[in-house]
Amino acid sequence: MTDTIMPEPERSPRGESLIQVIRRRRRDMTPRQRSTLILIGAFWLFTFAVLSIRATLTHSLAFNILGPRRLIVAAFGTLLCLLMVALLARLRSHSFSRWILWGVAGGLAMAVALTAFSMTMNRVLAPLPGAAPVTLAESAQWVLIWLGYCLAWTGTHLALTYHWDVQDQQARASAMTALAQEAQIAALRYQINPHFLFNTLNSISSLVLERRNAEAETMLLNLSAFVRTTFTKDPRSMIPLREEIALQQLYLEIEEARFSERLKVLIDVPDDLAGAEVPTLILQPLVENALRHGVGQSEAMTIVRISAVRDGDRLYLAVEDDGAGDTPAPGGSGLGLSNVRDRLRAHFAGGASLAADARPEGGFRAALDLPLEIAA
């Protein structure tokens, strides 16, 4: 008994079967290509139906004679539409008015080609029973009929292409805006670090000159931990308020070595606000201002208080001190406060603000008004 050798299915040069090639190409299609094919298919399905109804009403020949011919014409028309899509895609760099003119000219060419194809098929290659010779008037009539269909399809395709182009431009503009915003946030965030490091290293230098080496060593270790922690944070990210408070406590531990008995810190953050989302290190310039202007220029014990309050869908964060030293510029226009305002603008557009000014009872207060978003 001999084995029957079955023929292998046709395969592409990549070793794929024909069905696999079709599936892969359909999967690799862009939404625009898929929509274009759907438009062409829907157009010719509609055209086939309309012409079939017209033939039934005006022609004595049966549908089984005219139907296959209509399908052949529809297949030829589909090929013409695909060629028009390719041509208009190549001409897309031209001005919009010229692009429209090319579309109209292409629609006219399609109408002439469809008329010539159908006339040749029905009158020359496979004449219809009882068909009369082709006349110029009949040919012109069919050119006008096909022109109406072709211009309708071309206009729809041009309108959709223009719509897709506008969508692409809007997406690119949005992406560029987002990238610019991210770059601005990163630049503002990294602006904090040199400012903070300059002040801290000055403090360490002062401790060394005063021979307070143990305190200087503690400050260096805490500085290393703070820098390592903050530099690993994404400058564009939002973090829970509990993490932001932990970062500020780490920073305050650094400064405690310098201010010793002159600094007292109070943290008043309710548990239900610990998960509120805030920009990374948004409080650091405010705490630094409180230490520099409040604690640094006062010989008495100074209290620095960080608090959080909820009011509906708003979160209010405040950093205040009761120091007797000078205060930042009126209205809070110093470098650190300007940085905070710029970061709020970059993160929330007009949805957040900073108010900073001297307290009537002495000291300084900086308050943030943010949208309240609790991390899941």
Side-chain angles (χ1 to χ4, degrees):
M1 181 177 180
T2 59
D3 294 334
T4 302
I5 301 177
M6 299 297 293
E8 295 185 359
E10 182 181 351
R11 295 186 176 273
S12 69
R14 295 175 53 175
E16 298 173 311
S17 67
L18 182 59
I19 294 178
Q20 289 174 325
V21 171
I22 294 174
R23 287 177 178 174
R24 175 173 56 80
R25 289 181 178 176
R26 185 175 59 185
R27 187 175 58 251
D28 293 342
M29 279 185 185
T30 65
R32 180 180 292 200
Q33 291 172 332
R34 193 174 293 112
S35 298
T36 299
L37 291 180
I38 291 174
L39 173 63
I40 293 174
F43 168 74
W44 281 107
L45 180 63
F46 171 79
T47 303
F48 174 78
V50 171
L51 292 180
S52 297
I53 294 173
R54 178 181 181 276
T56 301
L57 297 175
T58 61
H59 213 290
S60 60
L61 293 177
F63 177 80
N64 61 348
I65 296 177
L66 294 178
R69 296 169 184 263
R70 299 291 186 200
L71 288 176
I72 294 173
V73 172
F76 179 71
T78 299
L79 177 62
L80 291 178
C81 286
L82 292 173
L83 292 175
M84 272 293 294
V85 169
L87 175 64
L88 291 174
R90 287 180 174 272
L91 299 172
R92 191 63 191 93
S93 58
H94 290 229
S95 66
F96 184 74
S97 57
R98 291 188 62 185
W99 193 51
I100 295 295
L101 289 176
W102 276 108
V104 173
L108 178 60
M110 288 175 62
V112 173
L114 283 166
T115 300
F117 180 82
S118 60
M119 290 292 184
T120 301
M121 178 178 62
N122 293 326
R123 304 298 176 85
V124 179
L125 298 180
L128 289 170
V134 178
T135 64
L136 181 61
E138 184 184 10
S139 299
Q141 181 184 13
W142 273 105
V143 168
L144 292 176
I145 293 173
W146 282 121
L147 181 61
Y149 285 105
C150 293
L151 288 181
W153 175 84
T154 303
T156 305
H157 175 69
L158 292 176
L160 281 176
T161 302
Y162 182 76
H163 171 70
W164 290 329
D165 288 346
V166 170
Q167 283 190 325
D168 290 344
Q169 290 175 3
Q170 290 176 340
R172 285 194 295 269
S174 298
M176 291 177 65
T177 300
L179 288 173
Q181 183 184 36
E182 290 178 2
Q184 180 188 16
I185 292 172
L188 291 168
R189 161 64 177 79
Y190 289 129
Q191 185 186 63
I192 296 173
N193 297 322
H195 188 238
F196 155 70
L197 288 174
F198 176 78
N199 291 336
T200 305
L201 291 174
N202 270 347
S203 299
I204 294 174
S205 175
S206 298
L207 291 175
V208 172
L209 290 175
E210 295 172 9
R211 300 186 182 278
R212 296 163 62 183
N213 296 333
E215 293 159 320
E217 182 179 358
T218 300
M219 201 169 186
L220 277 172
L221 292 175
N222 288 336
L223 174 62
S224 174
F226 179 80
V227 171
R228 181 172 61 253
T229 303
T230 56
F231 275 28
T232 57
K233 298 290 184 181
D234 186 347
R236 301 161 298 179
S237 68
M238 305 281 282
I239 62 173
L241 181 56
R242 69 173 72 88
E243 293 186 22
E244 176 68 11
I245 295 298
L247 287 172
Q248 299 315 310
Q249 289 175 319
L250 184 57
Y251 167 67
L252 288 165
E253 289 177 7
I254 296 172
E255 296 294 353
E256 282 179 351
R258 176 160 64 111
F259 296 117
S260 187
E261 301 298 326
R262 291 188 291 139
L263 170 62
K264 181 179 180 180
V265 178
L266 298 178
I267 306 292
D268 183 12
V269 177
D271 292 339
D272 62 332
L273 294 180
E277 298 268 315
V278 298
T280 307
L281 287 182
I282 195 66
L283 294 177
Q284 198 273 332
L286 308 183
V287 173
E288 186 175 348
N289 268 348
L291 295 176
R292 179 182 176 189
H293 297 281
V295 184
Q297 300 183 21
S298 175
E299 295 299 327
M301 168 67 71
T302 300
I303 297 175
V304 174
R305 183 172 180 265
I306 303 175
S307 61
V309 176
R310 176 178 188 167
D311 183 9
D313 60 352
R314 307 297 298 178
L315 172 66
Y316 294 93
L317 299 175
V319 177
E320 53 190 326
D321 67 84
D322 61 356
D326 65 344
T327 59
S333 57
L335 174 62
L337 299 178
S338 296
N339 179 283
V340 171
R341 285 196 175 90
D342 289 341
R343 291 186 66 202
L344 292 177
R345 191 178 303 112
H347 273 285
F348 303 105
S353 62
L354 166 66
D357 216 334
R359 305 194 317 165
E361 63 272 30
F364 192 78
R365 186 176 192 269
L368 298 174
D369 175 5
L370 310 173
L372 177 60
E373 296 182 7
I374 305 293

